[in-house]
Amino acid sequence: MRSTGSAQLRTHAFRVQPGQEAPEPARTACRGGEEKATVRALLLSGGTGTRLRPLTYSIPKQLVPVGNKPVLGHCLENIRDCGIEEVGVIVGPHAEQVAAVFGDGSAMGLRLTYLQQERPLGLAHCVTVAADFLGEEDFLMYLGDNVLTEGVAEAAGAFRADRPDAQVLVTKVANPSDYGVASLGADGRVNAVVEKPERPPSDLALIGVYFFTAAVHRAVRAIRPSRRGELEITDAIGELIATGGDVRALEYTGFWRDSGTVEGLLDCNRAVLDTLRRDVRGSVDRHSVLTGDVVLAEGVEVVRSQLTGPVTVAAGTVVRDSRLGPYTSVGPGCTLDSTGIENSIVLEGTTITGVRGLDGSLIGRRAELHAEPAAASQRLIVGDLAKVRVAR
């Protein structure tokens, strides 16, 4: 993943000049003469993903892959690119699955601490859960179902340079009533934040990336649960503003999307695939045609097939007599035989045989899709809350 360039952020309270590099991480001395970055990260991965059921009955939404990498992996890369090493990961009922994928974080150059949230009681409640981990240090709070393809390194540099009490990333949206919204004063600083307002004060939506000093802990202790029964981070930011805190906003103009719906996941997948460059390591027979940015991992076998990029296919997958892409990700250990699929995500271990015309699909792990000869009836085995479209 690429870290953000200066063209991807517009600042309301101050300005990063074009071409200016993000400042080096601020550091403080610690025992033994070592230095450490003064900003930690709190990555929220406790949500249950109800909008992605039935897929998320068995897999946390943050582990669903876009571009053949879990959404949470993209978040961790962006955090690492800010120069942050210490990350607290808020986890819920799927904690063991998350820990099994990322371990202690050392493979990514990170140190991960998993923090259990027993019930989803709000974003500000996550700050309470992580209070001991965060201590008095500044920190980045990052929602683990968001995809920002240009990263947040520049925003981290801006925060380190000026250290306001809070710095929020915002972006202009057409439907601000669906989000937390920031209202800016004449000086460009944030003078109010409102959660899903009926009459939005602006079109600047909070996008789930926040930088805080330790002042936020006092603000969280001062608020009470909302009508939803949750401790809202917007209320905590409002408390900072009400008590004279310095709260600033940076407008993010790169690609951002919440991956918590099928449509959102597919949008994120397309955006991530657009960053790929052709890399063919698997085997491709002479009867196959690869066009554009196609990424094939080692161990992929392509036989008599046409792949149109951007496409990525993970290790151990066999593609035979099929057409793939554009904008398709196929996980490891799959078999696609006589299949046509585009603009879709296929998770690991799935078999698709004789099914053509798949478009905008999300297919779970170890699923089996087989075409039957034309008949007067169709047979479906469908789980709870599934969404199925059939030809008529």
Side-chain angles (χ1 to χ4, degrees):
M1 298 292 291
R2 297 173 293 170
S3 60
T4 186
S6 59
Q8 298 304 317
L9 287 170
R10 289 203 296 270
T11 171
H12 291 285
F14 47 90
R15 183 169 298 279
V16 178
Q17 298 300 322
Q20 177 182 343
E21 294 184 359
E24 287 295 315
R27 299 185 178 269
T28 74
C30 60
R31 293 181 181 178
E34 297 178 354
E35 292 186 335
K36 64 176 182 176
T38 59
V39 177
R40 292 190 170 200
L42 183 62
L43 180 59
L44 276 51
S45 182
T48 55
T50 55
R51 294 175 296 171
L52 284 172
R53 289 176 179 168
L55 186 67
T56 47
Y57 279 126
S58 58
I59 180 174
K61 63 177 179 177
Q62 298 86 357
L63 293 186
V64 178
V66 294
N68 270 342
K69 182 183 297 179
V71 170
L72 207 64
H74 293 285
C75 299
L76 286 168
E77 286 186 348
N78 284 349
I79 290 170
R80 181 192 62 198
D81 290 346
C82 294
I84 297 171
E85 297 178 356
E86 295 283 351
V87 184
V89 184
I90 297 288
V91 288
H94 295 294
E96 292 183 359
Q97 288 192 55
V98 175
V101 172
F102 297 105
D104 64 2
S106 58
M108 300 183 68
L110 299 168
R111 291 188 292 272
L112 304 185
T113 299
Y114 296 95
L115 306 166
Q116 185 77 48
Q117 185 185 34
E118 297 299 335
R119 290 188 296 155
L121 297 177
L123 303 187
H125 180 256
C126 294
V127 176
T128 299
V129 171
D132 289 342
F133 168 80
L134 296 168
E136 292 298 308
E137 295 205 33
D138 300 348
F139 66 98
L140 159 62
M141 188 167 84
Y142 199 122
L143 302 194
D145 52 6
N146 282 353
V147 173
L148 293 85
T149 59
E150 300 299 325
V152 296
E154 184 181 343
F159 175 74
R160 286 181 173 120
D162 280 27
R163 291 193 68 239
D165 295 300
Q167 175 181 286
V168 298
L169 261 61
V170 296
T171 197
K172 291 183 177 179
V173 296
N175 53 337
S177 293
D178 293 339
Y179 302 93
V181 177
S183 172
L184 307 183
D187 61 356
R189 286 174 168 78
V190 180
N191 59 25
V193 287
V194 189
E195 186 68 28
K196 298 182 179 178
E198 292 184 8
R199 297 182 179 180
S202 78
D203 60 355
L204 295 172
L206 305 178
I207 63 174
V209 178
Y210 314 83
F211 294 86
F212 294 113
T213 67
V216 75
H217 297 293
R218 173 189 52 77
V220 169
R221 289 193 296 269
I223 64 174
R224 295 292 179 264
S226 67
R227 287 179 296 177
R228 300 193 301 173
E230 297 185 359
L231 290 176
E232 310 284 359
I233 199 64
T234 47
D235 289 344
I237 295 170
E239 174 68 15
L240 284 174
I241 295 169
T243 53
D246 181 5
V247 179
R248 308 188 184 187
L250 288 175
E251 184 180 345
Y252 184 82
T253 60
F255 174 87
W256 159 77
R257 189 73 196 268
D258 173 357
S259 65
T261 66
V262 172
E263 293 76 14
L265 268 175
L266 294 175
D267 281 351
C268 292
N269 193 57
R270 287 190 291 268
V272 169
L273 291 184
D274 273 334
T275 71
L276 299 182
R277 295 298 174 260
R278 188 181 179 101
D279 184 7
V280 178
R281 304 187 184 190
S283 67
V284 181
D285 78 342
R286 63 187 181 88
H287 302 291
S288 297
V289 177
L290 274 56
T291 305
D293 291 318
V294 175
V295 176
L296 303 181
E298 292 182 5
V300 171
E301 182 180 356
V302 178
V303 180
R304 297 184 301 274
S305 296
Q306 180 175 324
L307 278 63
T308 302
V311 163
T312 180
V313 183
T317 286
V318 177
V319 181
R320 184 183 299 111
D321 297 316
S322 297
R323 288 177 176 264
L324 269 66
Y327 294 110
T328 297
S329 299
V330 182
C334 295
T335 299
L336 276 61
D337 195 338
S338 302
T339 293
I341 185 169
E342 62 182 83
N343 185 33
S344 296
I345 300 173
V346 181
L347 274 65
E348 65 181 278
T350 286
T351 298
I352 307 176
T353 304
V355 182
R356 301 187 184 275
L358 291 171
D359 184 2
S361 298
L362 174 60
I363 301 172
R365 298 175 295 180
R366 294 177 290 280
E368 297 184 7
L369 285 71
H370 301 283
E372 297 286 349
S377 62
Q378 300 184 70
R379 182 185 186 217
L380 299 175
I381 301 173
V382 179
D384 293 350
L385 302 177
K387 295 180 174 65
V388 178
R389 295 181 182 178
V390 296
R392 58 180 179 179

